[in-house]
Amino acid sequence: FHKLWLLLRHWRGILSCPATHFIKLNKPGILSADIHPSKDLIVTGGADANAVVFDPSAGQILSTLTGHSKRVTSVRFVPRDDLLLTASADKTVRIWQGDEDGSYNCRHVLKDHLSEVHAVTVHATHNYFVTASMDKTWCFYDLATGSCLQQVSDASVEDGYTSASFHPDGLILGTGTANSLVRIWDVKTQANVAKFPGHSGPVTDISFSENGYFLATAGYDGVKLWDLRKLKNFRSFAPYDSNTPTNSVQFDHSGSYLAIGGSDIRVYQVASVKQEWNSIKTFPDLSGTGKIMSVRFGPDASYLAVGTGDRNLRIFGSPNAASE
């Protein structure tokens, strides 16, 4: 209870002013981001085809990962073995190995997809990962070898995949498509076990709550919350106008908060199916682009890392704020 009270005080008060960090990109646009859970590093994927690893405590760039030929659409740390995954519109996925000096070297280039790869998600065991592509397939990979163990296609998938995420238990996978449909898959059998219609336009992002009960999906019409026990949509947020897509959604690791990114950043306190999910903080878009592309929680929800349509990575709060 004490920790929850500290976090509530933190979100309502401390995060009023962000620290802005300028990441040198050839083209404006930080399209994706991820935060290492133990090292407290941030990786971003950019429209300039590069990924950048950043140390927020030191305020410095540790490594710039070059090799993709088109925009980097999705990035994920693999904490075990110090690996990093990047997916790109160039149809490839890269596995990077971290070194002691903070640099990363490309270990594998994966070329199993025939179109843009829009998402990469890591299995709970850290032994496997999945990529989702506009070629209407998702691939299940062995992380150690970079081998595609299964490339899954379904005749009923009319448009490509725009988002994907593993459930925390690793038994099911959620995917979003360009034609607004959310699908739930049994990872072991690769069977499509549920479909969630209701969005309009592409499903831009997917996040499971850590307790495994809820799924949040983002689209051009806002965010929908799904009860995975009853397979029903129980709440919807439409924070922006019809011309403004919600590009990012994420539960924090504790399952206490939900962050949404569109033309601004909004943080909601997670409740239950019957209780109201209250908005406890709204942060403006300081980039002037009107495009919040990625929102990710730092360790213990102590800060938010925000990627926008300009060249700046913004951090709302400080890495140690929640414990002060």
Side-chain angles (χ1 to χ4, degrees):
F1 174 81
H2 178 65
K3 183 177 180 180
L4 177 60
W5 181 83
L6 280 173
L7 286 171
L8 283 171
R9 184 186 68 171
H10 168 62
W11 282 117
R12 287 176 173 145
I14 294 175
L15 291 188
S16 56
C17 297
T20 300
H21 296 280
F22 186 81
I23 292 181
K24 293 182 179 179
L25 303 178
N26 295 323
K27 295 180 180 179
I30 294 175
L31 306 180
S32 56
D34 193 31
I35 299 178
H36 197 291
S38 58
K39 290 188 175 182
D40 195 22
L41 302 176
I42 301 171
V43 60
T44 61
D48 64 349
N50 294 332
V52 176
V53 179
F54 182 79
D55 182 343
S57 298
Q60 64 182 18
I61 292 173
L62 297 183
S63 184
T64 299
L65 285 58
T66 61
H68 286 294
S69 60
K70 294 184 178 180
R71 66 187 185 277
V72 177
T73 55
S74 186
V75 290
R76 287 293 180 272
F77 280 112
V78 185
R80 200 186 74 184
D81 301 325
D82 201 14
L83 297 174
L84 176 60
L85 305 174
T86 58
S88 173
D90 66 8
K91 308 177 188 178
T92 72
V93 176
R94 289 175 177 251
I95 302 176
W96 306 80
Q97 176 70 62
D99 291 333
E100 292 183 1
D101 62 359
S103 64
Y104 284 81
N105 297 305
C106 184
R107 199 166 82 177
H108 298 288
V109 180
L110 313 178
K111 301 180 179 180
D112 298 286
H113 287 294
L114 301 177
S115 188
E116 297 183 0
V117 185
H118 278 196
V120 59
T121 178
V122 181
H123 191 266
T125 62
H126 295 172
N127 292 326
Y128 310 100
F129 67 95
V130 158
T131 59
S133 169
M134 287 298 290
D135 66 5
K136 307 179 187 179
T137 72
W138 55 269
C139 287
F140 185 80
Y141 284 95
D142 177 82
L143 188 56
T145 64
S147 301
C148 178
L149 303 179
Q150 190 74 36
Q151 187 161 13
V152 180
S153 60
D154 189 306
S156 66
V157 177
E158 298 177 356
D159 289 287
Y161 295 109
T162 49
S163 53
S165 181
F166 272 115
H167 187 275
D169 67 11
L171 299 178
I172 62 174
L173 173 75
T175 60
T177 62
N179 69 340
S180 75
L181 190 63
V182 178
R183 294 170 180 262
I184 304 296
W185 304 82
D186 181 308
V187 174
K188 186 176 182 179
T189 65
Q190 295 91 48
N192 184 191
V193 295
K195 298 177 184 178
F196 295 156
H199 274 294
S200 62
V203 180
T204 53
D205 202 5
I206 285 179
S207 180
F208 288 97
S209 63
E210 192 62 27
N211 64 11
Y213 295 159
F214 304 131
L215 171 65
T217 58
Y220 277 42
D221 53 351
V223 169
K224 293 186 180 295
L225 300 175
W226 309 86
D227 183 347
L228 295 175
R229 294 161 293 185
K230 296 184 178 180
L231 301 180
K232 290 184 178 180
N233 170 227
F234 67 91
R235 187 162 278 104
S236 298
F237 302 125
Y240 312 117
D241 62 43
S242 59
N243 296 319
T244 304
T246 303
N247 296 312
S248 185
V249 64
Q250 192 194 30
F251 285 100
D252 80 298
H253 188 74
S254 73
S256 301
Y257 303 102
L258 180 74
I260 292 172
S263 59
D264 58 18
I265 307 107
R266 304 187 186 205
V267 179
Y268 292 81
Q269 188 174 353
V270 171
S272 65
V273 171
K274 295 182 180 180
Q275 294 174 315
E276 192 62 34
W277 293 44
N278 295 315
S279 175
I280 59 174
K281 197 73 179 179
T282 299
F283 303 105
D285 167 36
L286 300 179
S287 72
T289 65
K291 295 180 180 180
I292 306 296
M293 303 304 297
S294 183
V295 178
R296 293 293 179 261
F297 282 103
D300 297 323
S302 56
Y303 66 89
L304 277 173
V306 178
T308 59
D310 64 358
R311 292 177 171 85
N312 293 325
L313 170 69
R314 290 178 171 85
I315 299 174
F316 288 80
S318 67
N320 300 315
S323 59
E324 292 176 352

